[in-house]
Each structure stands twice: as structure tokens, then as C-alpha cells.
Amino acid sequence: MTQRRPGIIIMAKEPVAGRVKTRLAAEIGNQAALVVYDNLLHISRTAARSAAQQVDGQYGWWVAGDNGLEWACTFDPDADAHVAQQGDDLGQRMTLAFEQGFARDWSPVIMIGCDIPDLDAAYIVNAAEQLAAHDVVIGPANDGGYVLIGLRSMTAAPMNGPDWGTAKVLDQTVAILAKHNLSYTFLSHRSDLDLVTDLDEFPELQIARKRD
């Protein structure tokens, strides 16, 4: 029998000006928003890579965009997976990504996005540890959604039902978990960067940097 190991899914978009951080771009412009998103991508990569090493797991990129797979393979060739997102809406894309993660013999599976300026490896490692005792772990966002969700098994999949993009997402997700008698726990709150008011807390993200 194949030994199952923790897996980390990074849900991302191909970084193209005008197609990422669109609400932020409406306030600061497409190119400035692209710089912010590029910095967020690097934060997600660093945190996921380090966390995977610490929990003896793997991580990968689930990417949307016309050339998303090509970009992901170039951006992070050492990742354990590069997968094109599938599905008609966010709930479907998340559900299918989890199914694909578990099909790789990953367990538990933790999903993060690329909107989290204060993400670090310790946050993801804590999520993996919490899943030893709970069906689901959630990292709440300050806007009423969440920045991380982890599942111990695919039977605990609460992505179909919430009104995505609203402040009701977290409460609705918890209601779904309670309805199905699934145990859950919360991590500490993290920022979900979508608007210029969110960016005020992280001005360094507006600076383009040289990368390794």
C-alpha cells in the first residue's frame, strides 16, 4: 500500500495584467496590481515549499489561465504537481482540486490561495497538525471568508454551497460542516488582500523585486 503523505494545493492564476487582482487594479492600475500579485505568488511558494518539507509532504500548483501550466512549470519547476484548474465556478474548482490531491495519495490535503500577505510556513504546518484531530481546518480571513482550508478526507468537502465572494462564506461553510456532523477548528485570522485598503497594511508588496 502506498503511504499517504500531507499535500498542499496552491490555487493560483497565471499572472497577466488585467486578469489578476482586478478589484485592486481598479484602484491602482493593472501593472501595479500585477506587481502586488507577483509578490504574493512568491510568498505562497516560499510558505508552501517550506511547510511541505517540515511535514514530509508535497505541494503543487493548481492554475487558471490560458498558459497557466506553462507559467507554473517555469515559475516553480521543483513543485510536486502542476495542474490546470477545472470547473465552472470556484466551488467546483476547489472540489476537483481536492479530489485530485487525494488521488495523488496526499492526506490530509491543505489548500491555500495567493492573496495572503502574512502567510508563512508555520501557519500551514499548524493546519496539518490540527487535521490529526479534526475533519476540517479553516484559516479565517478578515473579510468574512477564509484563506486556508484543509481536509482530512474527501468526505469532508464543504465547497459546494457558500456564496463565494461575499462576507457570508465562512459562516455558511461552518453551517455546512455542522449539518454533516464534521468536526472543525480554526487557525488565527489572516489578511486577504483584495482592495487598496488591504494594501495599506503591506506597502512593501507594491515594490518589484529581483528574484532568485
Side-chain angles (χ1 to χ4, degrees):
M1 177 180 285
T2 302
Q3 181 178 1
R4 303 183 72 86
R5 59 197 308 186
I8 302 163
I9 291 174
I10 307 171
M11 298 289 281
K13 292 181 179 179
E14 178 191 359
V16 177
R19 297 187 181 181
V20 296
K21 309 310 299 174
T22 53
R23 284 189 286 173
L24 180 63
E27 300 179 275
I28 67 173
N30 290 336
Q31 288 298 328
L34 182 62
V35 169
V36 172
Y37 190 65
D38 178 67
N39 283 317
L40 290 168
L41 287 168
H42 282 82
I43 289 170
S44 297
R45 181 180 68 176
T46 298
R49 179 184 292 170
S50 178
Q53 292 173 346
Q54 292 180 49
V55 300
D56 191 26
Q58 295 186 334
Y59 78 101
W61 294 85
W62 269 249
V63 190
D66 295 339
N67 299 299
L69 280 182
E70 180 180 352
W71 166 80
C73 291
T74 301
F75 176 69
D76 193 0
D78 296 327
D80 300 291
H82 304 91
V83 183
Q85 289 185 22
Q86 298 175 314
D88 296 328
D89 57 36
L90 181 58
Q92 286 185 13
R93 293 196 297 271
M94 292 173 66
T95 299
L96 287 170
F98 270 115
E99 289 176 350
Q100 291 163 340
F102 282 108
R104 290 174 174 269
D105 289 320
W106 290 358
S107 182
V109 179
I110 297 162
M111 180 180 290
I112 60 172
C114 293
D115 304 305
I116 321 166
D118 47 359
L119 178 69
D120 56 22
Y123 194 73
I124 303 173
V125 171
N126 186 18
E129 293 171 346
Q130 294 299 324
L131 286 166
H134 301 88
D135 295 315
V136 180
V137 62
I138 297 174
N142 295 326
D143 62 0
Y146 54 78
V147 299
L148 175 154
I149 184 166
L151 308 181
R152 184 160 59 180
S153 70
M154 196 59 217
T155 57
M159 278 68 67
N160 296 317
D163 297 320
W164 298 104
T166 73
K168 302 176 182 178
V169 170
L170 182 61
D171 288 343
Q172 291 175 337
T173 300
V174 169
I176 293 169
L177 296 175
K179 179 180 178 180
H180 293 283
N181 296 315
L182 296 169
S183 62
Y184 61 90
T185 189
F186 295 115
L187 305 177
S188 57
H189 281 73
R190 286 292 185 272
S191 300
D192 188 353
L193 197 155
D194 286 314
L195 304 172
V196 71
T197 50
D198 304 322
L199 188 56
D200 290 341
E201 293 184 55
F202 305 94
E204 68 277 6
L205 294 178
Q206 299 180 75
I207 302 170
R209 295 179 173 83
K210 289 185 177 180
R211 303 296 182 183
D212 296 335

